[in-house]
Amino acid sequence: MIRPDKWKKLEEQMAQLGLYEHDLQEKFIRSSGKGGQNVNKVSSCVYLKHNPSGLEVKCQKTRSQQDNRYLARQILCDKMDQIQNKRASEKQQAIEKIRRQKRKRSKRAKEKMLQEKHRQSDKKSNRRKPETTG
């Protein structure tokens, strides 16, 4: 269950972004996937549409309709904030960061990295005590 103070905070955030309840079209749909009988019988998936902007959100993260209503509004706020401030969301920034990390290195960068590894290896091998024959 979402606490009333969280709902209050979300309502304030929605008001700042110009999202009002009378502009929202809300539908409840039967979810799909895991959840068993509860998912098959109860319409716990929430579909929200903000009529002035045309933004649409569908949320079925939890089995609770109330929780999904809250989460759908939160997602809608994030989308609207992203559009209004013309900036990438934190989630999108994290995805881009991972993409940059996984990007293939250039040949020159790879050679430079390998040279540094060889240099370190030579340093360590020079630290070893020489073997004595006896």
Side-chain angles (χ1 to χ4, degrees):
M1 282 297 291
I2 307 294
R3 294 188 320 262
D5 58 316
K6 279 193 169 186
W7 271 103
K8 196 83 167 161
K9 197 173 185 180
L10 180 66
E11 287 169 1
E12 290 170 9
Q13 184 182 4
M14 287 174 67
Q16 285 177 343
L17 293 169
L19 297 171
Y20 302 103
E21 284 295 326
H22 63 269
D23 291 336
L24 297 178
Q25 180 183 349
E26 187 174 42
K27 291 182 188 175
F28 302 103
I29 310 163
R30 289 228 172 95
S31 300
S32 62
K34 296 174 186 167
Q37 192 173 7
N38 182 67
V39 164
N40 298 330
K41 291 175 80 175
V42 180
S43 299
S44 58
C45 180
V46 176
Y47 168 84
L48 271 183
K49 182 176 180 181
H50 184 244
N51 291 327
S53 66
L55 282 176
E56 296 178 349
V57 171
K58 192 175 177 182
C59 181
Q60 65 174 39
K61 288 184 180 177
T62 68
R63 288 172 53 181
S64 163
Q65 190 183 74
Q66 271 308 103
D67 292 355
N68 285 334
R69 288 182 76 213
Y70 175 83
L71 293 170
R73 281 165 174 73
Q74 206 170 37
I75 293 167
L76 188 67
C77 283
D78 291 342
K79 280 187 172 185
M80 185 60 91
D81 184 42
Q82 187 176 343
I83 289 169
Q84 286 181 357
N85 296 327
K86 292 182 177 60
R87 62 180 168 81
S89 66
E90 290 175 17
K91 198 175 195 179
Q92 192 65 33
Q93 287 175 347
I95 291 169
E96 289 298 321
K97 183 179 180 183
I98 290 169
R99 188 173 289 141
R100 283 193 304 272
Q101 288 172 345
K102 288 186 175 183
R103 189 172 50 212
K104 196 173 177 182
R105 287 191 175 99
S106 68
K107 224 175 193 177
R108 187 173 178 207
K110 205 173 192 179
E111 287 171 4
K112 190 175 179 182
M113 181 193 66
L114 286 173
Q115 284 175 350
E116 186 57 37
K117 279 188 168 189
H118 287 302
R119 198 174 300 126
Q120 192 68 22
S121 172
D122 290 341
K123 241 195 268 185
K124 282 192 167 196
S125 63
N126 290 336
R127 289 182 196 156
R128 288 194 209 123
K129 291 182 181 178
E131 292 181 29
T132 55
T133 54

